[in-house]
Amino acid sequence: MGKKILEVMNLKTKYITRFHEDVYAVDGVSFDIEEGKSLGVAGESGCGKSTLALSMMGYYFPPLHYISGDIIIDGKNISGMDPDTVRKSILGTEIAYIPQAAMNALNPTQRIIRFVEDGIRVHDPKAQKKEIRERAEQRFAELGLPRTVLDKHAVELSGGMKQRTVIAISTILSPKVLIADEPSSALDVTSQKMVIKMMRELMEKGYIKSMLFITHELPLLYNVTDDIMVMYAGQIVEKGTAKEMVFDPTHPYSHGLMGSILVPEEGTRGTTLTAIPGTPPNLKKPPQGCRFAERCKYARPECRYSSIPEKFFGDSGTRMYRCLMGVDELKEVYSHE
């Protein structure tokens, strides 16, 4: 087992609405990422993926609020840190974030070099323009981006180029952990491949030490990440290697999620897609028992009222799922479908 570069332990965060209602979007999430590894997070819209990403930054803006838990990056606990300290000492160097809809993250009135200068000077106020320029040109070139991009405005770049530029800016300080929130969404297939290639190069060249990749496309994660965890209604319901999660999901939600999408590696001829009935629960008042019970065709009465523990299995004992049913029992019911 390698060195843990990121540890998230029992993290709980919530939104407070304008009616003073609490929405528990991340509720007791725990996981870790080893140095040199990438972890994927999958789940349908509203499950808490993006909120988890924002919460991990340790930099909270209303209506998002921290409740409890620990976020440890390379041995340093950033939970509850002063926001100004987080901005000056943590963001960009320890952990960086590529936002969802990153193509719209750039101010259209500024040249790209200005974003690089601003990011570097937060951590090194004395950095000179020439030094910053040389550093940016070298990094952009190594990531396959023309040096001329630095003198352009965002409106002069294509969608794929904007996305890759945002990734380059976000990682200019070589963060230990990179959070990528659906970085390939809204892109054509060619641009998606270029973005994924760039993410891999960041890892291979050591510009980032670990990565959390968020998407709703499980098959995409199979080609990008080492491990995958599936999130539902603010909780992690299953975690395993990418191969295990795509080709042998255990939790009923993971199983249903895989049944609702095509996996090119398995072939698509004769494949029948199935939908998961119902809608996710209201996180203002989370269910007492299993949060998936109302949509699960295998649910029993006790599923709605019993505490649902995390269970571990597999050769290494690290594969996790959250369900009252046993692994063999679940495999048996799946085999009769």
Side-chain angles (χ1 to χ4, degrees):
M1 182 177 291
K3 174 186 175 183
K4 292 180 181 178
I5 200 73
L6 171 71
E7 296 177 83
V8 176
M9 296 181 285
N10 199 30
L11 182 62
K12 297 183 180 183
T13 62
K14 67 181 180 181
Y15 291 104
I16 300 179
T17 72
R18 61 192 180 97
F19 301 109
H20 305 289
E21 300 168 305
D22 293 335
V23 181
Y24 299 94
V26 173
D27 197 359
V29 170
S30 299
F31 63 93
D32 58 69
I33 307 178
E34 294 179 8
E35 185 173 339
K37 297 291 185 179
S38 55
L39 173 65
V41 184
E44 62 193 305
S45 297
C47 71
K49 303 187 301 297
S50 293
T51 303
L52 173 62
L54 293 171
S55 300
M56 286 170 57
M57 303 290 287
Y59 197 54
Y60 299 94
F61 291 98
L64 180 62
H65 297 266
Y66 169 80
I67 301 175
S68 62
D70 295 305
I71 304 160
I72 302 173
I73 303 173
D74 201 17
K76 184 184 299 182
N77 194 335
I78 69 170
S79 305
M81 269 191 182
D82 174 70
D84 196 49
T85 301
V86 171
R87 185 177 68 85
K88 292 181 179 179
S89 304
I90 303 299
L91 301 183
T93 54
E94 300 292 318
I95 189 167
Y97 176 56
I98 301 170
Q100 197 169 11
M103 287 188 292
N104 299 319
L106 300 172
N107 185 331
T109 67
Q110 301 290 339
R111 297 185 188 277
I112 302 303
I113 188 63
R114 283 295 304 278
F115 299 105
V116 178
E117 290 172 352
D118 290 345
I120 291 178
R121 281 180 175 154
V122 167
H123 300 274
D124 184 8
K126 295 182 180 179
Q128 299 297 311
K129 276 192 174 185
K130 182 180 178 181
E131 175 191 347
I132 294 173
R133 176 82 189 198
E134 290 174 351
R135 183 173 179 177
E137 286 185 350
Q138 180 180 353
R139 177 62 62 86
F140 273 50
E142 289 178 347
L143 293 176
L145 288 166
R147 291 180 172 85
T148 54
V149 168
L150 292 167
D151 296 311
K152 294 183 181 293
H153 294 82
V155 294
E156 299 178 82
L157 306 177
S158 66
M161 187 69 80
K162 282 182 191 176
Q163 186 71 294
R164 288 186 288 146
T165 297
V166 169
I167 293 171
I169 294 170
S170 299
T171 58
I172 195 70
L173 294 171
S174 300
K176 294 172 182 174
V177 180
L178 176 65
I179 303 173
D181 192 354
E182 301 205 30
S184 60
S185 63
L187 296 176
D188 58 73
V189 175
T190 301
S191 295
Q192 282 187 347
K193 288 182 177 179
M194 294 180 74
V195 166
I196 291 171
K197 179 176 180 290
M198 188 176 189
M199 305 292 279
R200 287 175 175 164
E201 287 180 352
L202 286 167
M203 293 283 289
E204 292 168 359
K205 294 180 177 180
Y207 294 147
I208 58 174
K209 292 186 176 181
S210 64
M211 178 171 64
L212 187 78
F213 194 105
I214 297 172
T215 183
H216 59 277
E217 301 178 68
L218 265 171
L220 174 63
L221 291 177
Y222 174 71
N223 294 300
V224 178
T225 63
D226 299 297
D227 301 298
I228 297 173
M229 60 185 187
V230 172
M231 196 168 184
Y232 182 76
Q235 296 181 333
I236 303 302
V237 296
E238 187 172 0
K239 181 178 181 291
T241 67
K243 184 176 181 179
E244 290 169 340
M245 295 298 295
V246 171
F247 297 106
D248 188 29
T250 297
H251 191 278
Y253 176 65
S254 305
H255 183 75
L257 199 62
M258 282 307 304
S260 66
I261 55 180
L262 294 173
V263 182
E265 289 80 4
E266 287 187 330
T268 57
R269 180 174 294 180
T271 301
T272 301
L273 299 181
T274 58
I276 300 175
T279 57
N282 186 342
L283 293 182
K284 294 176 185 177
K285 295 181 179 180
Q288 180 179 345
C290 176
R291 298 188 175 184
F292 187 59
E294 292 298 326
R295 304 174 70 186
C296 181
K297 57 184 176 182
Y298 314 113
R300 302 163 179 170
E302 59 266 32
C303 294
R304 292 172 171 81
Y305 308 107
S306 301
S307 174
I308 312 297
E310 293 183 348
K311 297 179 180 179
F312 295 87
F313 68 104
D315 295 337
S316 62
T318 57
R319 189 171 178 189
M320 182 277 285
Y321 76 109
R322 187 190 295 267
C323 182
L324 289 181
M325 297 177 69
V327 174
D328 293 338
E329 189 178 7
L330 286 166
K331 299 301 181 186
E332 179 67 19
V333 297
Y334 296 156
S335 67
H336 288 90
E337 291 183 342

